[in-house]
Each structure stands twice: as structure tokens, then as C-alpha cells.
Amino acid sequence: MERDAVTTPFGRRAMTLGMLATQVLSRQIEPGQTAGKWKLFQSLCDARLHFGLSERSLLVLNALLTFYPHDEISEENGLVVFPSNSQLARRAHGMAEATLRRHLAALINAGVLVRKDSANGKRYARKDQSGGISEAFGFSVAPLLVRAEEITAIAISVAKERQELRRLRERLTICRRDVSKLIVVALEEGAPGDWFAVQERLRIMTQTLIPRPTRQQAEDALEEFEMLREEVTSRLELKFKSKDMSGNADHIDRHLHNSNPHSLSELELGSRKEPKAKSEPTNPHENREMAIFPIQVVLKACPEIVPYGPYGTISSWRDLMVAAVTVRSMLGVSPSAYQEACEAMGPENAATTLACILERAGHITSAGGYLRDLTAKARSGRFSLGPMIMALMRANGQGMG
């Protein structure tokens, strides 16, 4: 690039102060300065939001760099590439020429390319007597070379921010899991308090989580969940201290062995599995999994379903789901209605819902219609089993301790 010359665009394209500033910056190349083009391109991909570049603009830059004949960008290797629009479009996966021009303009406005137009606007190179290029007209990658350190530093900063956000999301996931499992313990142990209300609070907090939070949003949400975890833990500590735990190791050991070994894996409140990376749902309430209550709590609230289990008893979720199939037919609920409930609520909650409907069968005109209504509410995040189970437990004279 001719360091002392400032060039203006060909034809109707206007010259701007930003273009002038980029050209002036491009003349500040240090002697012997080099940069690996693909490493620099990857850094620019990481820092693209800072430069206001889209993936499509980067696709055009990638195609343009394939015309640069060396892996290292330097003045010695030349700084101008001069492919025609048709050649460039072919390497940009057949991009339309109008789209190509738009993204070339975006790269220039972002200050990573400079136009060096010929008198007639054509892109070409003149060769000297030895066959080397004496002068070229096209796009100069000099701004990339000059800004190499800046681009790399921004990319490193972006990577650190992304890592910190990932760490915050992991802590948030763990905290949500902790609260869910602690609520299960409280329900199983009969700790005093309205644990259905706590579970409902957890459900609402989970529903209002932003699918792709910023760092500040993640920090705010984490603080709220940590406060809830501390509150639940404090209540359980009171329950623990109120028991006659004299310090006898055998007593504690018996207490642990008598606990339900499946309570933390099979009966967890909240999500049954870790959330997968997925696109943001159209409805913010969609794709949120309902809470699963401990089966002991379900059976206390809905004892009528027990005789329909295998061998006239229910001791696991599998038994409850088998009983639910029998009850479904008996209540006149269609297979499709039950299948939709399973898809919207999960199989455990669908079976629990049928058990609740059976418990109140004498007061429900159409069990199938009622189930479809609850399924629709579950899909939109407006249905929780907590209040229903709590009402049935009270009706059956079952307290929460």
C-alpha cells in the first residue's frame, strides 16, 4: 500500500471521515510487522460483536482472505487483494452480488478493510519487469495488520467474559438443583412449613429465567436462588436440631439407612435432567419441566389409586404409571388425551394428575375434558400440582408436620 497516498472510492460511493481515519491508521504499520491471517480472522470472529460484524460479513472476509497468497500478512507479502465480485461470490458460497457488496461495505465501515480503487473502479494488479506486483487495486488488509493486537486483546476479553458467564450459569443450575432436592427432603421428613408454596416460588423463579441471560442478569438470578437455598436450608436445620440427635453414631447411621435411597434420583423436584442447549422458545413459559413430588406425598394425597397398582399396591413411580393406565380407561380418558398430558407434564406428573382426578371423580363431569384443560395450562406454564395435592391432603386429614 502506498503509505503517503489517501484514496477515495470510485463512482458514486462517498468518502467518509471514518474511511479517512482507517486509511491514516493503516499507514502506521511497524517495520517487519506480521500477523497470521487465519489466527487473526478467528480472533475477529470472537470479537465480531465489538466491531458490529455479522456472520455473513465474516463469511465474505473469509472468502477475501483466501485470495491473499500467504499465511502471514505483511507489507513484504503485499497488502492488496483484487478478486472480481464473481470470483469472490463463488468463494462466499454463491452469495448474491448485491449482498456481497453490502457486506464488503460493512467490513470497510468496521475499519478492517480499506478500498484502494483504480481510476475505472476495476480490481487488478500491475506487474514489473521481473514479474512481481508493482501496484494493485482492490481491498487492502492493512487495517487488519495494524489492529492485530487490538483485535486479539478484544477476543481474549470476550473469551474471559464468556467463560465467566458459563461459570455463573453452572452455579445457577447447581443452586436450582440444590433447592429442588432440599424441598424433597423437607416434604419426605415432614418439616414444618408450607413447602408447596416454596415449591411454587421455585417454579415461578425458574419460569422467569431468561434463556440467554447477560452476565448481570445471571448474577442477579443467582443471588435470588442462593437466598432461597439459604432460606430452605435454615428451615431444615431447625427440623434437624429439633430431632433427638444425641450424637450417637449408630442413631445417625440408622437414620441414613432408613432414608429412601431413590428419593434424590427418582423423586427430585424440578427438572428431571440438566437443561440442554437449545434455541429460545417462542413462548417464554414453554419447555419448562414441571416439578415432581415425592411419591409418598402423592399417595398420601391420592390413596384411591393404590388398589389399581400391580398386586393391589404401589411402591414406585412405575407402579403408579401402570395404575394410571388402568384408571385412565376406567375414567373414560382417551389414550390421546393421556399421551398429550405425558408430553406436556412428564409421565410422572401425568400419572399424578390422573390420581388426583380419580380422588375427585365424583365432582368432575368429564375427566377427559378436565385433563385436556390441565394439559393446556401445563403447556403455557400456568398449572402446578402443588395446590391440588395440598388440597387433597387436607381433605384426607393429612398434615405437613
Side-chain angles (χ1 to χ4, degrees):
M1 183 177 184
E2 297 178 10
R3 288 196 174 200
D4 297 328
V6 171
T7 63
T8 57
F10 170 77
R12 297 181 178 179
R13 289 191 296 267
M15 182 67 176
T16 67
L17 190 60
M19 292 180 185
L20 178 61
T22 302
Q23 290 192 40
V24 172
L25 178 68
S26 300
R27 290 151 56 186
Q28 300 174 5
I29 298 173
E30 298 292 334
Q33 185 177 355
T34 64
K37 66 177 181 181
W38 295 122
K39 185 177 181 180
L40 186 55
F41 174 75
Q42 186 57 58
S43 295
L44 187 59
C45 288
D46 293 339
R48 69 177 182 83
L49 294 179
H50 177 86
F51 289 90
L53 293 172
S54 67
E55 292 92 339
R56 299 275 281 174
S57 295
L58 291 171
L59 174 62
V60 172
L61 180 60
N62 179 81
L64 198 63
L65 288 175
T66 63
F67 289 96
Y68 192 83
H70 305 279
D71 287 334
E72 293 287 322
I73 300 175
S74 68
E75 278 194 296
E76 183 181 357
N77 292 332
L79 295 170
V80 178
V81 289
F82 40 89
S84 66
N85 278 351
S86 60
Q87 290 174 318
L88 192 54
R90 191 176 299 116
R91 293 198 188 180
H93 302 171
M95 184 179 290
E97 191 167 320
T99 306
L100 182 71
R101 286 196 297 269
R102 186 169 69 252
H103 290 296
L104 284 169
L107 290 166
I108 291 167
N109 291 335
V112 297
L113 287 181
V114 166
R115 285 186 185 274
K116 187 182 179 185
D117 285 348
S118 63
N120 60 5
K122 300 293 184 182
R123 299 173 200 150
Y124 62 90
R126 289 198 184 102
K127 295 185 178 180
D128 55 25
Q129 292 181 349
S130 64
I133 295 176
S134 61
E135 188 175 24
F137 297 96
F139 297 100
S140 171
V141 295
L144 277 176
L145 181 58
V146 173
R147 304 181 73 177
E149 289 186 4
E150 176 194 356
I151 293 170
T152 302
I154 292 172
I156 291 172
S157 175
V158 168
K160 287 182 178 178
E161 183 72 15
R162 187 183 299 119
Q163 184 178 15
E164 178 62 20
L165 182 57
R166 186 182 302 114
R167 187 182 69 84
L168 284 170
R169 287 174 176 172
E170 287 174 353
R171 288 177 60 192
L172 185 56
T173 297
I174 292 171
C175 191
R176 288 169 56 192
R177 183 188 67 197
D178 291 345
V179 175
S180 294
K181 292 190 175 184
L182 288 170
I183 293 174
V184 170
V185 173
L187 287 167
E188 290 180 339
E189 295 294 331
D194 190 350
W195 293 104
F196 291 109
V198 177
Q199 188 276 327
E200 181 65 10
R201 179 178 164 193
L202 174 62
R203 184 186 70 84
I204 292 172
M205 287 169 60
T206 301
Q207 272 193 337
T208 55
L209 281 177
I210 298 173
R212 295 176 183 174
T214 64
R215 178 174 176 175
Q216 186 60 52
Q217 289 168 337
E219 287 177 346
D220 292 343
L222 178 61
E223 182 180 1
E224 187 177 3
F225 275 92
E226 285 179 338
M227 288 176 62
L228 180 59
R229 180 174 60 185
E230 182 63 28
E231 179 184 329
V232 172
T233 303
S234 297
R235 292 190 189 183
L236 283 175
E237 285 179 357
L238 291 176
K239 173 67 174 178
F240 178 82
K241 291 174 182 178
S242 68
K243 285 193 171 185
D244 182 20
M245 303 298 262
S246 61
N248 186 309
D250 291 336
H251 185 152
I252 296 174
D253 187 61
R254 285 197 305 275
H255 177 75
L256 293 174
H257 279 81
N258 288 336
S259 297
N260 183 354
H262 303 295
S263 62
L264 295 183
S265 60
E266 186 181 20
L267 311 177
E268 177 185 350
L269 263 169
S271 299
R272 294 184 296 277
K273 52 192 175 186
E274 296 297 323
K276 298 179 180 178
K278 56 187 175 182
S279 59
E280 183 176 343
T282 303
N283 184 330
H285 297 301
E286 288 179 356
N287 300 328
R288 304 287 191 183
E289 292 194 11
M290 290 175 59
I292 303 174
F293 291 89
I295 195 167
Q296 297 94 330
V297 174
V298 174
L299 296 179
K300 283 182 180 179
C302 309
E304 292 292 329
I305 200 170
V306 174
Y308 298 96
Y311 309 107
T313 186
I314 293 176
S315 59
S316 67
W317 281 111
R318 181 180 180 84
D319 291 348
L320 181 62
M321 286 186 273
V322 169
V325 173
T326 302
V327 168
R328 174 200 66 73
S329 178
M330 186 183 73
L331 292 174
V333 175
S334 68
S336 62
Y338 186 56
Q339 179 61 32
E340 289 173 8
C342 289
E343 292 171 359
M345 307 176 188
E348 296 93 341
N349 283 326
T352 301
T353 303
L354 269 185
C356 291
I357 292 174
L358 175 64
E359 204 70 22
R360 300 288 292 169
H363 304 274
I364 298 173
T365 305
S366 171
Y370 186 49
L371 181 62
R372 286 189 185 276
D373 181 59
L374 295 180
T375 299
K377 289 181 179 179
R379 284 200 183 100
S380 61
R382 295 180 294 114
F383 173 57
S384 171
L385 276 166
M388 184 181 292
I389 292 176
M390 189 164 136
L392 288 173
M393 290 187 72
R394 287 172 177 164
N396 294 331
Q398 297 285 350
M400 289 303 299

Coordinates of all heavy atoms in Angstrom, one line a residue, residues 302 304 308 327 330-333 353-368 370 388 392:
C302 N -53.5 -39.1 47.4 CA -54.4 -39.8 46.5 C -54.4 -41.3 46.8 O -54.0 -42.1 46.0 CB -54.0 -39.6 45.0 SG -53.7 -37.9 44.6
E304 N -56.8 -43.4 46.7 CA -57.8 -44.2 46.0 C -57.1 -44.9 44.8 O -57.6 -45.9 44.4 CB -58.8 -43.2 45.4 CG -59.8 -42.6 46.4 CD -60.7 -43.7 47.0 OE1 -61.0 -44.6 46.3 OE2 -61.1 -43.5 48.2
Y308 N -55.2 -50.0 42.4 CA -55.1 -50.2 41.0 C -53.7 -50.5 40.6 O -53.4 -50.8 39.4 CB -55.6 -49.0 40.2 CG -57.1 -48.8 40.4 CD1 -57.5 -47.8 41.4 CD2 -58.1 -49.5 39.7 CE1 -58.9 -47.6 41.6 CE2 -59.4 -49.3 39.9 CZ -59.8 -48.3 40.9 OH -61.2 -48.1 41.1
V327 N -56.6 -46.6 35.4 CA -57.6 -45.6 35.8 C -58.0 -44.7 34.7 O -59.2 -44.3 34.6 CB -56.9 -44.7 36.9 CG1 -57.7 -43.5 37.2 CG2 -56.7 -45.5 38.2
M330 N -60.7 -46.5 33.0 CA -61.9 -46.5 33.8 C -62.6 -45.1 33.9 O -63.9 -45.1 33.9 CB -61.5 -46.9 35.2 CG -62.6 -47.1 36.2 SD -62.0 -47.5 37.9 CE -61.4 -45.9 38.4
L331 N -61.9 -44.0 33.8 CA -62.4 -42.7 33.9 C -62.9 -42.2 32.5 O -63.5 -41.1 32.4 CB -61.4 -41.7 34.4 CG -61.0 -41.9 35.9 CD1 -59.9 -40.9 36.2 CD2 -62.2 -41.6 36.8
G332 N -62.7 -43.0 31.5 CA -63.1 -42.6 30.1 C -62.2 -41.6 29.5 O -62.6 -40.8 28.6
V333 N -60.9 -41.5 29.9 CA -60.0 -40.6 29.3 C -59.4 -41.3 28.1 O -58.9 -42.4 28.2 CB -58.9 -40.2 30.3 CG1 -57.8 -39.3 29.6 CG2 -59.4 -39.5 31.5
T353 N -51.5 -36.5 38.1 CA -52.7 -35.8 37.8 C -54.0 -36.7 37.7 O -55.0 -36.4 38.2 CB -52.6 -35.0 36.5 OG1 -51.4 -34.1 36.6 CG2 -53.8 -34.2 36.2
L354 N -53.8 -37.9 37.1 CA -54.9 -38.8 37.0 C -55.3 -39.3 38.4 O -56.5 -39.5 38.6 CB -54.5 -40.0 36.1 CG -54.8 -39.9 34.6 CD1 -54.5 -41.2 33.9 CD2 -56.3 -39.6 34.4
A355 N -54.3 -39.5 39.2 CA -54.6 -40.0 40.6 C -55.4 -38.9 41.3 O -56.4 -39.2 42.0 CB -53.3 -40.2 41.3
C356 N -55.1 -37.6 41.1 CA -55.8 -36.5 41.7 C -57.3 -36.5 41.1 O -58.2 -36.3 41.9 CB -55.1 -35.2 41.4 SG -53.6 -35.0 42.3
I357 N -57.4 -36.7 39.8 CA -58.7 -36.7 39.2 C -59.6 -37.8 39.7 O -60.8 -37.7 40.0 CB -58.6 -36.8 37.7 CG1 -58.0 -35.5 37.1 CG2 -59.9 -37.0 37.0 CD1 -57.7 -35.5 35.6
L358 N -58.9 -39.0 39.9 CA -59.7 -40.2 40.5 C -60.2 -39.8 41.9 O -61.3 -40.2 42.3 CB -58.7 -41.4 40.5 CG -59.3 -42.6 41.2 CD1 -60.5 -43.2 40.4 CD2 -58.2 -43.7 41.4
E359 N -59.3 -39.1 42.7 CA -59.7 -38.8 44.0 C -60.9 -37.9 44.1 O -61.7 -38.0 45.0 CB -58.5 -38.1 44.7 CG -58.5 -38.2 46.2 CD -58.1 -39.6 46.7 OE1 -57.6 -40.4 45.9 OE2 -58.5 -39.9 47.9
R360 N -61.1 -37.1 43.0 CA -62.3 -36.2 43.0 C -63.2 -36.5 41.9 O -64.0 -35.7 41.4 CB -61.7 -34.7 42.7 CG -60.8 -34.2 43.8 CD -61.5 -33.9 45.1 NE -62.3 -32.8 45.0 CZ -63.2 -32.4 45.9 NH1 -63.4 -33.1 47.0 NH2 -64.0 -31.3 45.7
A361 N -63.2 -37.8 41.5 CA -64.0 -38.2 40.3 C -65.5 -37.9 40.5 O -66.2 -37.6 39.5 CB -63.9 -39.7 40.1
G362 N -66.0 -37.9 41.7 CA -67.4 -37.7 41.9 C -67.8 -36.2 41.7 O -69.0 -35.9 41.6
H363 N -66.8 -35.3 41.6 CA -67.1 -33.9 41.5 C -66.7 -33.4 40.1 O -66.8 -32.2 39.8 CB -66.3 -33.1 42.5 CG -66.6 -33.5 43.9 ND1 -67.7 -33.0 44.6 CD2 -66.0 -34.4 44.7 CE1 -67.7 -33.5 45.8 NE2 -66.7 -34.4 45.9
I364 N -66.2 -34.3 39.2 CA -65.8 -33.9 37.9 C -66.7 -34.5 36.8 O -66.9 -35.8 36.8 CB -64.3 -34.4 37.6 CG1 -63.4 -33.7 38.6 CG2 -63.8 -34.1 36.2 CD1 -61.9 -34.2 38.6
T365 N -67.3 -33.7 36.0 CA -68.2 -34.2 35.0 C -67.5 -35.0 33.9 O -68.0 -36.1 33.5 CB -69.0 -33.0 34.3 OG1 -69.6 -32.2 35.4 CG2 -70.0 -33.5 33.3
S366 N -66.4 -34.4 33.3 CA -65.7 -35.1 32.2 C -64.2 -35.1 32.6 O -63.5 -34.1 32.5 CB -65.9 -34.3 30.9 OG -65.0 -34.9 29.9
A367 N -63.8 -36.3 33.0 CA -62.4 -36.5 33.3 C -61.4 -36.2 32.2 O -60.4 -35.5 32.3 CB -62.1 -37.9 33.9
G368 N -61.8 -36.6 31.0 CA -61.0 -36.4 29.8 C -60.9 -34.9 29.4 O -59.8 -34.4 29.2
Y370 N -61.4 -32.4 31.5 CA -60.6 -31.8 32.6 C -59.1 -31.9 32.4 O -58.3 -31.0 32.6 CB -61.1 -32.3 33.9 CG -60.5 -31.6 35.1 CD1 -60.5 -30.3 35.3 CD2 -60.0 -32.4 36.2 CE1 -60.0 -29.6 36.4 CE2 -59.4 -31.8 37.3 CZ -59.5 -30.4 37.4 OH -58.9 -29.8 38.5
M388 N -53.2 -28.6 44.2 CA -54.1 -29.7 44.1 C -53.8 -30.8 45.1 O -54.7 -31.3 45.8 CB -54.1 -30.2 42.7 CG -55.1 -31.3 42.4 SD -55.0 -32.0 40.7 CE -55.6 -30.6 39.8
L392 N -55.9 -31.9 48.5 CA -56.3 -33.3 48.7 C -55.8 -33.9 50.0 O -56.5 -34.6 50.7 CB -55.9 -34.2 47.6 CG -56.6 -34.0 46.2 CD1 -56.0 -34.8 45.1 CD2 -58.1 -34.4 46.4

